[in-house]
Amino acid sequence: MSDDGVLLTEVATDLFGDLCPPETVRAAEETGWAGELWNALAAAGFPLVSVPEEAGGSGGSVADACAVLQVAGRYAAPVPLAETGLLAGWALAAAGLPLPAGPATVAVGRPHDTVTVTGGPGGWRVAGRLHRVPWAGEAERVVVLASRGAERFVLSVPPATATPGHNLAGEPRGTVTLDDLELDDDAVAPAPAHVTVEAVALRGALARAALIAGALARVSELTVRYTHEREQFGRPVARFQAVQHHLVRIAEEAQAARMAVTVAARNADPDPALFDVAAAKVVAGEAASAAAKAAHQAHGAIGMTKEYELGQLTRRLWAWRDEFGGERHWSARLGRHVAGLGADGLWPRLTTGLIT
């Protein structure tokens, strides 16, 4: 991460600290949106970090965007930060399509999605059904990758009819129905070679891993603070060996996730790579499971209350670990990739990150 990225993280931390307390997260889980937080983030240019300035974005790298996402994960921020810039904004900018003024999202390419493109310049039409689209009800545009024979397109469509749905954390994941929708020419463009469903999956998985890493850092802090404040038998519970084991395990998992995400994000020049993203998503997913379990054991009953911050974070850990592919999915892909490197390619890839 560049010096500018460090400054970006510091500014983001101050902004989220002021505008995204646990009360804001609880309210957003009821209404589906945190408008004041989003407006402040948009005014500061955070949603479009990593999108080139010449395309209307804020500039910066994938590593800068992931650093901001770790801050967002730390505060369980209920806004489509990853979807607007790292996913939708990237695809629109690459295809030469205009960026929306407000939040954007992507159809994540689920197997049962259907999209049909007909017509041509001056008369484009699209029909289909897209499932589990993040923040569909609040997005101004949904970015869709579609094919027609050998042609591939980037589409920028209004959410049209969005049926509400949510993930475990209460974040919107709706179903979008496109009923023979007419599109202007500035909403359709040929997809560049590097803008593929696979590329969206890699960027989405890296984004979720970054959010997980940020949330784990906060879970570790909360657990350390609580166990030092809570007393049992005349001394802080943090002094009991069993609780110390939990604290160490949570800290280890948080650091492992942070390091894996940092490596994958820094190597994303210009785009994330399969080996790095698969490793980061597996490490982050396994860390989320282990740390959430240990944190709730250390907190006891208070960790399950709606008023306490821990539950907001762990529900997101459980949801984010499965979105854009869980550990089993990425472990299988990573295994096939590593096997394909052969005996001469495996060791250099593991030790240096390079393929010789």
Side-chain angles (χ1 to χ4, degrees):
M1 184 169 57
S2 64
D3 290 341
D4 289 342
V6 173
L7 178 60
L8 195 68
T9 301
E10 293 175 352
V11 175
T13 299
D14 289 340
L15 193 154
F16 281 110
D18 290 339
L19 296 178
C20 195
E23 295 78 16
T24 295
V25 179
R26 283 198 296 272
E29 290 181 1
E30 297 295 330
T31 65
W33 190 237
E36 182 182 2
L37 174 61
W38 174 263
N39 292 338
L41 290 168
F46 284 110
L48 295 177
V49 171
S50 78
V51 179
E53 293 183 56
E54 56 269 25
S58 300
S61 64
V62 171
D64 293 331
C66 287
V68 174
L69 288 176
Q70 289 189 58
V71 181
R74 176 187 183 87
Y75 289 92
V79 288
L81 204 58
E83 290 77 7
T84 297
L86 199 58
L87 297 172
W90 159 76
L92 293 174
L97 295 175
L99 303 177
T105 188
V106 293
V108 299
R110 301 180 72 85
H112 45 296
D113 287 350
T114 58
V115 182
T116 302
V117 180
T118 57
W124 295 100
R125 306 193 78 86
V126 59
R129 191 173 179 85
L130 310 168
H131 300 81
R132 306 290 293 176
V133 178
W135 308 94
E138 296 298 335
E140 288 190 10
R141 310 296 290 188
V142 178
V143 173
V144 183
L145 302 185
S147 299
R148 184 175 64 181
E151 298 176 291
R152 295 191 310 110
F153 301 101
V154 176
L155 311 179
S156 176
V157 304
T161 303
T163 303
H166 299 86
N167 65 11
L168 181 64
E171 296 176 316
R173 300 290 186 264
T175 298
V176 175
T177 301
L178 305 172
D179 188 10
D180 196 26
L181 191 66
E182 184 175 355
L183 297 179
D184 296 331
D185 289 343
D186 63 357
V188 182
H194 70 289
V195 179
T196 62
V197 173
E198 165 73 356
V200 170
L202 290 173
R203 284 175 168 262
L206 179 57
R208 291 298 186 264
L211 290 168
I212 287 172
L216 285 172
R218 180 58 177 160
V219 166
S220 182
E221 289 181 2
L222 282 174
T223 310
V224 169
R225 186 184 70 186
Y226 176 78
T227 55
H228 279 81
E229 293 175 349
R230 178 81 167 92
E231 292 191 356
Q232 190 97 31
F233 306 114
R235 58 177 175 166
V237 296
R239 293 179 60 184
F240 290 90
Q241 187 174 11
V243 176
Q244 291 174 353
H245 174 76
H246 291 320
L247 296 179
V248 170
R249 180 68 185 277
I250 296 167
E252 288 175 341
E253 299 293 355
Q255 286 300 316
R258 183 188 65 81
M259 291 192 322
V261 168
T262 298
V263 170
R266 288 181 177 177
N267 286 347
D269 185 21
D271 294 306
L274 171 61
F275 182 93
D276 298 318
V277 172
K281 192 60 161 68
V282 170
V283 170
E286 291 180 346
S289 178
K293 178 181 177 180
H296 278 287
Q297 287 178 329
H299 276 85
I302 192 174
M304 301 301 295
T305 62
K306 190 173 183 179
E307 292 74 21
Y308 191 65
E309 186 179 353
L310 181 65
Q312 294 177 351
L313 294 163
T314 54
R315 284 187 287 109
R316 281 162 177 79
L317 291 176
W318 292 324
W320 293 338
R321 62 177 289 197
D322 288 333
E323 293 183 341
F324 290 97
E327 295 99 293
R328 178 175 295 184
H329 170 82
W330 288 109
S331 292
R333 293 201 59 186
L334 182 60
R336 289 193 294 269
H337 177 77
V338 169
L341 296 177
D344 293 334
L346 175 58
W347 184 247
R349 190 66 176 89
L350 292 176
T351 56
T352 68
L354 301 175
I355 299 177
T356 59

